[in-house]
Amino acid sequence: MNKKNIRVRFAPSPTGYMHIGNFRTALYNFLFAKKQGGSFLIRIEDTDQARFVPGAAEQLLQSMSAMGLEWDEGNFLKSSLANADSIRSESKTYPNTIEIGSCGPYAQSERTEIYKKYAQQLVKDGHAYYCFCEPERLNEMREKQQKEKKAPMYDRYCLTNLATEDINEKLKQACPATIRLKIPKNESIVFEDEIRGKVSFNTDNIDDQVLMKSDGFPTYHLANVVDDHLMGITHVIRGEDWLPSTPKHILLYRAFGWEVPIFAHLPLLLNPDRTKLSKRQGDVAVEDYIAKGYLKEAILNFVAMLGWNPGEGSVQEIFSLEELVEKFELAKVHKAGAVFDIKKLDWINGQYIKKLSDEELLQNALPFFKQKDFFKTWNMEHETWSMQEKEEYLKKVLAVEKQRLLKFADVGEENKFFFQDISYEKEMLRWKTTTDAELLLSLKTSQTVLTEIAEDQWTLEKIEEKLLEAAGDKRGDLLWPLRTALTGEQKSPSPFECAWVLGKTQSLERVAKAIEMWQ
Ligand code: GLU
């Protein structure tokens, strides 16, 4: 493998959904790799058996694909593979997937033998040691340290008290053992983070990290370093919560005699009150946003800007994925936490919605319309409409709503009068201080104007033109009662738009009902 080639990885521990923070990590890795012409791989970090969730890894790959983030190596869902010609093999742990790439297996649970080998090498070289301490002893030790207000640290009992023969004997008896990294004393571990700049840690604050657990599985730290090395990772781009782990990783690279990759730690995601982004304050899964009808382009755009922008002075806020690839730079990622502002996502999504064609709008909105079953609750006439008639009607609703629509889950919500019979107080029809007679006359004028527009002339422009002509300079007098007659609402789109969507027959029926109320 050519070490010069840029190689980055997204290394999730699948939980069943894609946290927005993890998704941003994946996106930045993807953008960085694409921009540099490097490789982007996915590694499934599934060694924590207690946290294994069936189906979670597949769900994660599914979400990555749905969002259009392609990767070059790793596990791929069989259903999404067309004709990849690289090295590929059946995945043992994830039968619905196939592995592509020469560094597999890409699921850590299939690599335990590798970690064992490297952990033993560290023991042999004196960088790590066996620990046979039982949980009870470790707990007691920690409690004591806590009481003495000391940071919890392993006291190196096994390192100082066990002779080689004792260790061999215990291993022979298959006593449960862990392997711990021997952290050097009082040393500064200094590294240059691409985002945070110079970072330094003193090793006295670092516990002798467990590398291999007694269940035979590695801890995150060992597996992560071994794999990043064996998979030729050149840049480790990950969340800031992993920053305190980095000195341990650097010590591991050193112990193995391996080149240390470049690190870039991404800022935390925050709730608007600047606490760490949490489920309690809203949805944190990418899948939740897809389900609510946010467009994938908008989510990508929004997430890319959580902690990054193309530079001072740039006012551009809408970026396609190609533009993001072109403009993305790790050096421009911010150090400070990034606030997850749903209003910004709504705004960006609204911008993308406005750019959609009528057909695209319809296709995105249809699943939500179907869920809401709007036509079912209306009267029989609409129940008998053909699918095509319904779709034509929905297209008009969308053409009107698209200026204000922020997400597809909201379709029709603001304008239910398009889908149901309406009822309202007759007083609502009155514009300011118009008299009963003036109000009646106004409604009758609208009735005449609308009646005179032929069915095949029923366009938004024609309706607007004819009504404005009839209103002259007294727009409110004519348009308020008509708008209310059509919608039964205090607020709605314009009477022209409402009449256009409702169609001639339905509009005239509603106007006639309003007239009846005042006759
Ligand atoms: N498995 C870790 C996670 O879920 C990966 C951290 C890293 O990228 O090193 O975030």
Side-chain angles (χ1 to χ4, degrees), residues 261-468:
I262 292 168
F263 290 103
H265 287 91
L266 308 174
L268 283 181
L269 294 189
L270 307 173
N271 293 307
D273 65 4
R274 303 200 74 83
T275 53
K276 196 172 160 189
L277 184 68
S278 67
K279 245 190 165 134
R280 249 174 297 130
Q281 299 204 16
D283 292 320
V284 292
V286 172
E287 293 85 353
D288 292 334
Y289 291 93
I290 298 175
K292 282 188 180 159
Y294 287 95
L295 294 161
K296 83 171 193 232
E297 294 80 1
I299 301 176
L300 282 168
N301 190 151
F302 169 71
V303 171
M305 299 195 74
L306 288 173
W308 169 89
N309 67 42
E312 280 140 49
S314 167
V315 286
Q316 185 177 352
E317 298 203 86
I318 300 297
F319 298 89
S320 66
L321 192 55
E322 293 71 39
E323 277 178 295
L324 288 171
V325 168
E326 189 191 307
K327 302 223 155 93
F328 184 76
E329 278 174 65
L330 275 180
K332 299 240 165 79
V333 174
H334 311 153
K335 279 200 197 71
V339 174
F340 184 97
D341 178 3
I342 187 81
K343 288 201 193 87
K344 183 80 182 278
L345 173 59
D346 283 345
W347 179 82
I348 292 177
N349 204 48
Q351 299 299 308
Y352 279 91
I353 286 180
K354 285 195 190 76
K355 286 196 268 182
L356 295 181
S357 69
D358 291 353
E359 191 52 39
E360 288 167 331
L361 275 171
L362 179 69
Q363 290 315 322
N364 277 290
L366 265 182
F368 296 94
F369 275 129
K370 281 188 184 145
Q371 256 171 36
K372 292 170 198 251
D373 229 352
F374 278 139
F375 288 108
K376 264 240 159 63
T377 51
W378 209 359
N379 57 31
M380 283 310 289
E381 187 198 330
H382 300 87
E383 251 311 274
T384 61
W385 277 5
S386 69
M387 197 55 208
Q388 198 187 345
E389 282 171 308
K390 286 181 182 172
E391 289 188 358
E392 283 311 312
Y393 189 81
L394 293 177
K395 269 191 188 168
K396 289 187 192 163
V397 172
L398 287 164
V400 169
E401 289 198 338
K402 90 175 194 188
Q403 289 311 320
R404 259 166 289 177
L405 192 62
L406 297 178
K407 57 183 183 295
F408 284 100
D410 298 342
V411 284
E413 289 300 325
E414 294 281 302
N415 303 312
K416 294 242 173 74
F417 54 85
F418 283 140
F419 303 98
Q420 62 196 25
D421 292 330
I422 55 173
S423 62
Y424 52 92
E425 293 294 315
K426 66 187 244 189
E427 261 312 309
M428 265 180 68
L429 289 161
R430 194 189 303 277
W431 170 247
K432 292 188 176 166
T433 55
T434 41
T435 64
D436 293 4
E438 283 166 337
L439 171 53
L440 191 56
L441 182 63
S442 157
L443 287 166
K444 286 194 167 168
T445 307
S446 288
Q447 188 178 42
T448 312
V449 173
L450 295 179
T451 309
E452 279 170 4
I453 303 174
E455 278 282 2
D456 60 0
Q457 301 261 304
W458 197 261
T459 62
L460 185 52
E461 297 72 30
K462 190 56 136 200
I463 299 166
E464 181 163 1
E465 178 199 318
K466 290 291 169 194
L467 283 169
L468 288 181

Side-chain angles (χ1 to χ4, degrees), residues 121-141:
Q121 183 188 318
L122 287 179
V123 175
K124 199 165 129 267
D125 296 346
H127 296 297
Y129 60 92
Y130 282 102
C131 172
F132 301 93
C133 288
E134 289 176 352
E136 295 75 41
R137 175 173 190 276
L138 295 174
N139 285 340
E140 259 171 45
M141 180 193 76

Side-chain angles (χ1 to χ4, degrees), residues 14 44 53-63 77 93-97:
I44 301 173
V53 183
E58 290 85 348
Q59 171 60 48
L60 191 126
L61 300 176
Q62 180 59 44
S63 299
L77 286 174
T93 325
Y94 303 106
N96 294 330
T97 71

Side-chain angles (χ1 to χ4, degrees), residues 9-14 22 25 43 45 51 108 220 224 228 236-239 241-242 249:
R9 83 314 193 258
F10 174 46
S13 306
N22 275 346
T25 301
R43 183 173 69 228
E45 301 212 327
R51 286 171 60 195
Q108 288 188 329
Y220 153 73
N224 194 269
D228 280 346
V236 171
I237 305 169
R238 63 184 170 197
D241 30 349
W242 299 106
H249 297 180

